[in-house]
Amino acid sequence: MFSKPKVPRTVPLETPDNSSDSSDSENEEGKEIQVEFEARSPESEDFHGVRRLLTQLFLRSSIVDVGKLADNVLAQRGIGSVIKQSLPEDYEGQDGVEDPNEVYGISTVVNLADKSKEAVSSLRRFILEQTAKGNDRQVLQYVTDLLKGNVGFLINERFINIPAQITVPLLETLVTEMRKARDRNMDFDFQHYIMISKLYKTKNLMNGGSGAAANPNPDSQAVIFSNPEEELIVGESELCIDYDVSSDTSNDVGGNWADGVEMVPWRRIVVFRGEKLDGIIRSVREHFPTSSVTR
């Protein structure tokens, strides 16, 4: 018995100007290119783009197979969105239009209770191993017990130049999709969510002299989130676990972001209750409004 072909869902995304500026080095005149985005249901053609976004999150992890995780994400029918460039109806290699299959971001959730899938099993093992490295038995026991329940792994990845405002419609769509999935008796009723945030911390703090503190007080370290809205999620979290990934990244990822301050890449495992998600979406909308940003 054959089912009806899947019709891709397309949702226009509203950002401050519904676009992202790009000073493309290949643009001979050096002018800015306005790019409009839309959210679509993930398709098989998005595999390489989704895999690349997952790679920038997990880097060189030998535990998480990002290819299998990407396959798992694409296999979830009716769950999640990818951000792609809006193409004109008469698109045929027009100037200013990038690869039509380029994936600029992804918003989705993976059920961590589905241990029968290798991608999920490895993801669970990765979370537990990173937790264990903190040498806190109480925290490890908390996470171990947490993974025995209904927990979703929230994925919120995108290119660094995509504005935070795009998060609101993506998460709202995801919430609606999970509700519809529950109506079909699918396992998307999560008591908790776990996500991994990309962030940068100061390595050396200059005090006006020529020397630098090799190991500054963690409380005095500046923290910059790659996705700024995730700082709001941290504020609603029950647990955060940080781990240094500077040895897993190329030398040009960090660098000097301000005079005398060197930034190094970290990751933060964030745990928050499922009931907090709606409030988080409202908070992101309030802190990153589309109407108050002018160019």
Side-chain angles (χ1 to χ4, degrees):
M1 181 177 180
F2 296 95
S3 59
K4 293 182 179 180
K6 182 179 178 182
V7 179
R9 167 185 49 77
T10 303
V11 179
L13 294 175
E14 182 183 4
T15 61
D17 59 0
N18 197 31
S19 66
S20 172
D21 290 337
S22 173
S23 55
D24 193 338
S25 59
E26 297 180 359
N27 188 342
E28 295 181 358
E29 298 180 7
K31 61 183 179 182
E32 291 184 340
I33 300 175
Q34 298 295 321
V35 180
E36 294 188 350
F37 297 102
E38 61 189 16
R40 292 176 174 267
S41 299
E43 302 285 340
S44 59
E45 66 189 22
D46 300 322
F47 171 80
H48 294 291
V50 171
R51 185 182 186 279
R52 180 167 64 171
L53 289 167
L54 293 174
T55 298
Q56 74 179 22
L57 183 63
F58 292 102
L59 300 172
R60 301 171 185 170
S61 170
S62 60
I63 300 176
V64 178
D65 187 326
V66 292
K68 290 182 178 179
L69 184 55
D71 281 333
N72 189 92
V73 166
L74 296 176
Q76 296 185 141
R77 300 180 65 86
I79 296 291
S81 304
V82 291
I83 305 172
K84 305 189 78 169
Q85 184 175 351
S86 299
L87 299 178
E89 294 182 0
D90 57 348
Y91 164 72
E92 277 295 339
Q94 290 184 5
D95 292 339
V97 178
E98 302 294 336
D99 179 358
N101 290 324
E102 183 71 83
V103 178
Y104 293 87
I106 182 168
S107 172
T108 191
V109 65
V110 174
N111 187 355
L112 288 175
D114 196 357
K115 295 180 287 185
S116 62
K117 296 179 180 177
E118 185 177 349
V120 176
S121 179
S122 65
L123 185 53
R124 290 168 59 94
R125 188 166 71 254
F126 176 82
I127 293 170
L128 287 171
E129 288 196 11
Q130 292 297 339
T131 303
K133 289 178 181 179
N135 296 317
D136 189 320
R137 292 184 179 180
Q138 191 173 14
V139 171
L140 179 58
Q141 187 61 54
Y142 170 82
V143 175
T144 301
D145 292 340
L146 187 72
L147 290 175
K148 295 177 182 177
N150 298 324
V151 182
F153 184 77
L154 187 63
I155 298 174
N156 177 45
E157 277 300 301
R158 62 181 185 271
F159 285 0
I160 196 168
N161 61 328
I162 306 296
Q165 285 85 352
I166 214 167
T167 306
V168 172
L170 292 176
L171 288 179
E172 287 178 334
T173 298
L174 184 59
V175 167
T176 299
E177 291 171 336
M178 289 191 291
R179 177 181 54 77
K180 292 180 178 179
R182 292 193 298 271
D183 291 342
R184 300 194 303 270
N185 296 319
M186 299 175 68
D187 295 327
F188 284 92
D189 187 10
F190 301 120
Q191 297 172 344
H192 287 83
Y193 291 98
I194 295 178
M195 69 181 302
I196 297 177
S197 293
K198 303 192 306 295
L199 48 89
Y200 298 87
K201 296 185 181 183
T202 49
K203 180 179 180 180
N204 299 321
L205 300 180
M206 301 298 289
N207 297 313
S210 59
N215 295 296
N217 186 330
D219 293 334
S220 65
Q221 284 183 283
V223 175
I224 299 175
F225 285 80
S226 180
N227 295 336
E229 75 279 1
E230 292 177 2
E231 188 170 1
L232 300 174
I233 299 177
V234 168
E236 298 293 336
S237 65
E238 289 189 346
L239 176 70
C240 291
I241 302 169
D242 291 8
Y243 57 98
D244 187 347
V245 294
S246 57
S247 62
D248 295 330
T249 57
S250 58
N251 294 330
D252 60 347
V253 172
N256 294 320
W257 286 30
D259 291 341
V261 179
E262 183 178 353
M263 307 297 292
V264 293
W266 285 67
R267 296 291 184 268
R268 176 171 294 176
I269 298 174
V270 182
V271 180
F272 64 95
R273 295 188 64 84
E275 63 196 34
K276 296 276 191 178
L277 186 55
D278 287 336
I280 287 171
I281 296 173
R282 289 194 296 271
S283 181
V284 174
R285 183 187 296 109
E286 292 171 1
H287 283 81
F288 299 95
T290 58
S291 59
S292 65
V293 179
T294 58
R295 303 193 66 82

